[in-house]
Amino acid sequence: NAGVTQTPKFRVLKTGQSMTLLCAQDMNHEYMYWYRQDPGMGLRLIHYSVGEGTTAKGEVPDGYNVSRLKKQNFLLGLESAAPSQTSVYFCASSDRGRANYGYTFGSGTRLTVV
Amino acid sequence: SQKIEQNSEALNIQEGKTATLTCNYTNYSPAYLQWYRQDPGRGPVFLLLIRENEKEKRKERLKVTFDTTLKQSLFHITASQPADSATYLCALGRFNNAGNMLTFGGGTRLMVKP
């Protein structure tokens, strides 16, 4: 199994440009999450989803939107990129009620906004 | 607000010794605590979970303790090897209808020297 796949792996954007990060999981997990990781800040939750067609805000949702039209996919959108959104973005998934197995993370997308 | 603290300074130890990493938290009552390993350029990988009613959990060379009175978890790697060099993240979690929600610490980098 591939687990959690994130595309693209790297991207450079100009301020004001838009883009979509794609996350796909093949484990039939109910829950999916988007985090950003910055030096000294740890992983911070942007948005999450508890099932197909549902999304909710996390700790740092401003400037981002998400969609989960299919159970296996969770998209993160930046409508108008800002330098403060330069970060490494991680998608994760987990199974309902199975915390013993933890989160499965993708390998990340390194985004630079200039 | 809730706060999770891990030593931001790298821990350097000699091969064969026991590495001990600390995770302290405040303003939080987690139902469980997880530890993850993260290698450079990769996403975190789940290692262990310990629940609030458990004092200790072991897995091969790993041992985790959880003291809800001290609000602290200790993560031990016995007989450490250079391959154990990585950043280790602790994450606090609780069950609710929004999923298995985790809040992550900033991580501690472990360097095991041969």
Side-chain angles (χ1 to χ4, degrees):
Chain A
N1 287 339
V4 176
T5 303
Q6 291 184 234
T7 54
K9 295 188 182 303
F10 303 93
R11 186 73 185 268
V12 178
L13 284 181
K14 293 182 179 179
T15 298
Q17 287 185 320
S18 63
M19 78 164 293
T20 300
L21 283 68
L22 173 64
C23 176
Q25 53 98 359
D26 61 1
M27 297 167 288
N28 202 36
H29 284 171
E30 290 289 337
Y31 305 146
M32 296 187 76
Y33 316 85
W34 275 107
Y35 284 88
R36 59 177 289 172
Q37 188 174 41
D38 303 289
M41 300 291 288
L43 286 160
R44 292 182 292 168
L45 183 64
I46 304 171
H47 285 280
Y48 64 95
S49 168
V50 298
E52 181 179 315
T54 73
T55 63
K57 295 179 180 180
E59 178 186 359
V60 288
D62 293 342
Y64 305 96
N65 57 76
V66 289
S67 65
R68 191 158 178 212
L69 300 179
K70 294 183 178 181
K71 185 177 183 179
Q72 64 268 33
N73 296 335
F74 195 28
L75 278 63
L76 178 71
L78 286 72
E79 292 185 346
S80 179
S84 61
Q85 294 178 304
T86 294
S87 186
V88 181
Y89 292 86
F90 287 101
C91 175
S93 70
S94 69
D95 206 1
R96 186 205 313 262
R98 300 185 74 184
N100 280 342
Y101 296 89
Y103 285 10
T104 301
F105 281 87
S107 58
T109 295
R110 184 174 294 274
L111 175 66
T112 302
V113 182
V114 297
Chain B
S1 61
Q2 60 197 45
K3 191 174 182 181
I4 302 171
E5 291 184 343
Q6 295 186 256
N7 194 340
S8 59
E9 294 183 6
L11 176 63
N12 295 293
I13 65 168
Q14 204 68 33
E15 181 177 8
K17 300 294 186 182
T18 296
T20 299
L21 285 69
T22 304
C23 176
N24 295 299
Y25 61 93
T26 56
N27 299 324
Y28 203 95
S29 297
Y32 59 89
L33 187 148
Q34 297 181 351
W35 283 89
Y36 288 77
R37 169 183 172 141
Q38 186 174 22
D39 292 287
R42 309 297 297 269
V45 175
F46 172 71
L47 296 175
L48 277 172
L49 173 146
I50 186 166
R51 297 180 186 273
E52 61 178 335
N53 59 349
E54 298 175 316
K55 295 291 186 184
E56 182 179 299
K57 184 72 73 73
R58 292 176 184 262
K59 180 182 177 182
E60 297 173 353
R61 294 185 295 112
L62 308 180
K63 184 179 84 171
V64 174
T65 63
F66 193 12
D67 189 327
T68 55
T69 300
L70 292 178
K71 295 186 181 297
Q72 180 182 79
S73 175
L74 298 179
F75 177 81
H76 306 273
I77 305 175
T78 59
S80 60
Q81 305 165 1
D84 295 326
S85 298
T87 296
Y88 292 86
L89 310 174
C90 71
L92 305 183
R94 49 191 172 194
F95 304 105
N96 57 37
N97 58 5
N100 301 327
M101 301 304 296
L102 291 179
T103 303
F104 285 84
T108 297
R109 185 179 177 195
L110 173 66
M111 299 288 292
V112 181
K113 298 181 179 179

